[in-house]
Amino acid sequence: MTANAPLLELRDVVPSFAETGLMPAPYNLRMMPGECVVIDCRDSARAAIFADMCSGMVSLTQGSIRFMGLDWSTLRDRQLNALRGRIGRISRHGSWLNLFGTHLNVMLPQLYHTTDEFEDVVEHATQLGYRFGLPGLPITAPDRLSGADLARAACVRAFLGRPELLVLEDISDTLPEESVLPFFETVTAARDRGCGVLWFVRSPAAWREYRKAVNLHMRLLDEGLFPMRVV
């Protein structure tokens, strides 16, 4: 990635309508390292598909998406996996595997990509768990946890390691109030080291306390992606 280059850039992107259901209109977005872009979208399914598109997981009929200076469409599987390993994501619907304990669900993405020692990953995940209000790493299956604890675990999974980009779907209705401030603080700490944040929200209340720190506010509608004024 070259100096002063965007971390994430969508240039006149038109996704496959048959694959995504997204309006086949050009989407444009430019995010620099350390920036926070908030996208209002009341439709959580549409937000998830757009997040997939930014992560190089959706076919395009036009345009290009570059992450860390690399065009998703030009990369092979090994490169794609390595680059996606630099993205921390909170999915509204969790993507939990009940065959494994929650602790493994949290750590497996990081363990797949990292060269860090297993003990170091466990330690970092445990410390993040404490930060978000968990008494450590829960070892029970995800379907045995409350919605609040799953939201906390989702935060741990997203922030684990040193992601270059955070793609955050809205879990503000399940994240406990006492975990909101640690969430904002951890987002800010990540941005301070150059991590970009793409944050999908369904309600202004989800990001009201963080409004002054947002660089760009956009709205994702049926008709496309539109810039809004940050006030």
Side-chain angles (χ1 to χ4, degrees), residues 28 68 89 176 201:
N28 288 280
M68 297 182 67
R89 182 162 175 180
V201 299

Side-chain angles (χ1 to χ4, degrees), residues 100-117:
F100 304 108
T102 304
H103 63 307
L104 291 178
N105 274 267
V106 166
M107 294 189 298
L108 277 175
Q110 178 67 10
L111 290 171
Y112 179 79
H113 294 287
T114 190
T115 57
D116 293 345
E117 296 293 333

Side-chain angles (χ1 to χ4, degrees), residues 97-225:
L97 297 175
N98 291 313
L99 292 174
F100 304 108
T102 304
H103 63 307
L104 291 178
N105 274 267
V106 166
M107 294 189 298
L108 277 175
Q110 178 67 10
L111 290 171
Y112 179 79
H113 294 287
T114 190
T115 57
D116 293 345
E117 296 293 333
F118 177 78
E119 293 78 10
D120 294 335
V121 176
V122 172
E123 175 64 20
H124 188 198
T126 302
Q127 291 302 318
L128 282 170
Y130 292 147
R131 184 179 305 173
F132 290 112
L134 291 169
L137 282 179
I139 61 174
T140 55
D143 61 355
R144 297 177 65 88
L145 293 183
S146 67
D149 282 345
L150 279 178
R152 292 182 174 107
C155 291
V156 174
R157 181 168 61 183
F159 288 102
L160 190 59
R162 293 176 60 84
E164 300 290 343
L165 174 67
L166 288 164
V167 178
L168 310 175
E169 296 176 42
D170 193 351
I171 56 170
S172 59
D173 55 336
T174 54
L175 189 65
E177 184 176 353
E178 62 270 20
S179 299
V180 172
L181 180 58
F183 173 81
F184 290 153
E185 290 175 342
T186 310
V187 165
T188 300
R191 293 178 62 192
D192 286 345
R193 61 172 177 77
C195 178
V197 179
L198 186 63
W199 185 8
F200 297 88
V201 299
R202 298 187 302 154
S203 164
W207 62 291
R208 183 178 295 120
E209 299 301 319
Y210 204 73
R211 186 181 300 272
K212 292 182 180 179
V214 171
N215 298 99
L216 181 63
H217 177 199
M218 307 193 80
R219 183 162 292 164
L220 181 60
L221 302 172
D222 289 337
E223 298 79 10
L225 185 66

